[in-house]
Amino acid sequence: QKGVPGQVEMEVPFLGNASYFYFEILDSFGTAAFSGKVLTGEENAVETVARDVYIGVLSDQYSSLEYLDGLTLEVENQPFTLQLVQFAAQEFPMRADELSSLSGILIDAFDTSVLSAQQFDCLKSWVTDGGSLFVGTGTEAAKVLPGLEKLLGIKAGDVGEVLYAFSSEMSRAGSARLYSASLLFSEEEAWESLSFSSPGCIYRRDYGEGSLTVSACSLTDNTFRQWTGREDVLCQIFHEELEKEIGGTW
């Protein structure tokens, strides 16, 4: 019952030399209602503290992305907690140094045509200097991509439902049917299709010292948000940037 403390008992099978395990409690929709990390090592074992990673967000559907705020992802046994920084269009900076505290920027379900020339140049400079831009498309591709065409070199094609199957390394993700945009690349050879799904849904390329990542679907998609495999896919989307954070100075 909501708001009433409860106790859950679990029997955990033998885990070999594992020092900890994660668990999730799912609601009737398959959404993680609670998750935790339990140490299995010695009493004096110290739990690794999650590092905060700040992601700027431009979205007209910000409330549909709030599930990302505070979400913990793990790369190379290092947990990271995503902290979202919301921007309204009129508040987005015009100088790249004002974005220096961000590890990445996510643009999803956002009309990019409202950005001024100075704001677009700021975004482009920030990526060129080492920033990581993540772009979600899906049913909103027609309003997300036009304002970014000079940066991405991608136009929006038709939108339809696509059934994605995931690699054995992501067996927990299973499969999902998501609304996806057909992406028309002007320089297709410059983009790498990440190989964790069939067909591919995430594309990445280097841009100056930074990187561009584009998803054929939207992270605001209701099916994606309620899907139990979403964290596995998000780890793949943000993997490169989180690896940079591991090697960075804290």
Side-chain angles (χ1 to χ4, degrees):
Q1 185 178 352
K2 187 175 181 180
V4 178
Q7 181 174 326
V8 176
E9 294 184 0
M10 295 182 291
E11 292 187 6
V12 180
F14 177 66
L15 299 173
N17 293 323
S19 59
Y20 62 87
F21 68 90
Y22 280 104
F23 70 92
E24 290 183 341
I25 298 175
L26 309 181
D27 62 19
S28 58
F29 296 101
T31 303
F34 182 78
S35 62
K37 178 179 180 180
V38 179
L39 298 175
T40 60
E42 298 179 0
E43 292 182 359
N44 61 352
V46 178
E47 181 175 355
T48 304
V49 177
R51 298 175 176 177
D52 287 340
V53 174
Y54 292 91
I55 306 292
V57 177
L58 281 167
S59 180
D60 298 327
Q61 298 180 29
Y62 180 78
S63 61
S64 294
L65 293 170
E66 287 185 309
Y67 70 93
L68 296 171
D69 198 26
L71 182 67
T72 298
L73 304 175
E74 185 171 309
V75 174
E76 296 182 8
N77 296 321
Q78 169 64 57
F80 295 89
T81 300
L82 302 184
Q83 303 289 351
L84 302 189
V85 179
Q86 182 183 13
F87 289 107
Q90 66 272 21
E91 298 171 347
F92 193 78
M94 298 184 186
R95 292 170 34 204
D97 60 351
E98 295 181 51
L99 300 171
S100 60
S101 63
L102 300 178
S103 297
I105 292 176
L106 170 64
I107 299 178
D108 198 326
F110 177 74
D111 184 359
T112 54
S113 67
V114 303
L115 294 177
S116 69
Q118 293 94 332
Q119 289 173 318
F120 176 82
D121 289 342
C122 168
L123 178 64
K124 184 177 179 181
S125 296
W126 177 78
V127 175
T128 302
D129 292 342
S132 296
L133 175 63
F134 310 97
V135 179
T137 60
T139 58
E140 303 293 335
K143 78 174 187 180
V144 173
L145 292 175
L148 299 176
E149 187 175 350
K150 290 182 179 179
L151 176 60
L152 301 177
I154 302 176
K155 293 183 178 180
D158 296 334
V159 176
E161 278 192 301
V162 177
L163 177 63
Y164 293 101
F166 294 88
S167 63
S168 57
E169 291 80 6
M170 295 176 58
S171 57
R172 191 174 75 97
S175 61
R177 189 179 296 274
L178 304 171
Y179 281 101
S180 302
S182 174
L183 303 178
L184 308 176
F185 297 89
S186 61
E187 298 181 58
E188 190 168 0
E189 68 281 357
W191 292 84
E192 173 193 6
S193 174
L194 302 191
S195 59
F196 64 86
S197 71
S198 177
C201 60
I202 308 295
Y203 302 87
R204 178 172 292 149
R205 67 165 295 180
D206 294 333
Y207 193 91
E209 297 297 318
S211 64
L212 304 171
T213 301
V214 179
S215 169
C217 57
S218 170
L219 302 188
T220 66
D221 184 284
N222 284 333
T223 302
F224 183 84
R225 291 191 295 129
Q226 295 175 4
W227 176 39
T228 57
R230 72 184 187 191
E231 278 83 358
D232 293 301
V233 174
L234 290 169
C235 269
Q236 294 295 324
I237 293 175
F238 294 112
H239 187 274
E240 184 175 280
E241 183 55 37
L242 297 181
E243 280 191 325
K244 287 182 186 178
E245 299 292 350
I246 291 174
T249 302
W250 292 81

